Amino acid sequence: MERLKEQATEVVESYRASLESLRDSMNEALEPIERELESLRHAVKVDADEFDPILPDRYESPLKIPDEFNGLFDSRRDYLTQIDFYKRSAS
């Protein structure tokens, strides 16, 4: 096992300089792309920060729920009251 580990280490070491040189060359070739990507990220962030759409007013239904409404769901109920209503209705 030790002999195989030593052999593998020798193979890896024999390629180390080539791999480091290849990594450096690749990183150098990628630099312009990384700069352009960072510029694009910045432009998107600026646009997103400045985005302030004018939205139409929220639609309100002219229909009114009667005060005695006893439907399964009523958005006027708070969460706990609504859950309690569901449970009582299921029984």
Side-chain angles (χ1 to χ4, degrees):
M1 190 64 120
E2 283 300 316
R3 181 180 57 79
L4 293 174
K5 182 178 177 182
E6 288 174 14
Q7 287 177 343
T9 301
E10 287 176 17
V11 170
V12 169
E13 288 302 321
S14 72
Y15 283 96
R16 186 172 302 280
S18 296
L19 290 172
E20 288 175 358
S21 175
L22 183 59
R23 181 198 62 214
D24 293 343
S25 295
M26 181 182 70
N27 287 340
E28 186 178 321
L30 287 172
E31 272 183 43
I33 296 169
E34 289 174 357
R35 282 194 304 269
E36 189 172 346
L37 182 58
E38 186 55 38
S39 175
L40 181 59
R41 282 185 186 128
H42 178 71
V44 167
K45 183 177 181 341
V46 167
D47 286 350
D49 290 344
E50 293 176 356
F51 184 68
D52 187 20
I54 298 171
L55 299 174
D57 292 336
R58 188 176 207 172
Y59 174 78
E60 285 194 34
S61 173
L63 302 174
K64 299 297 178 200
I65 299 174
D67 290 336
E68 304 86 35
F69 180 72
N70 204 23
L72 187 57
F73 176 76
D74 186 344
S75 63
R76 297 174 296 181
R77 297 180 189 129
D78 65 52
Y79 178 76
L80 293 176
T81 305
Q82 184 63 57
I83 293 296
D84 183 52
F85 193 86
Y86 280 147
K87 289 179 181 178
R88 283 186 285 120
S89 297
S91 316

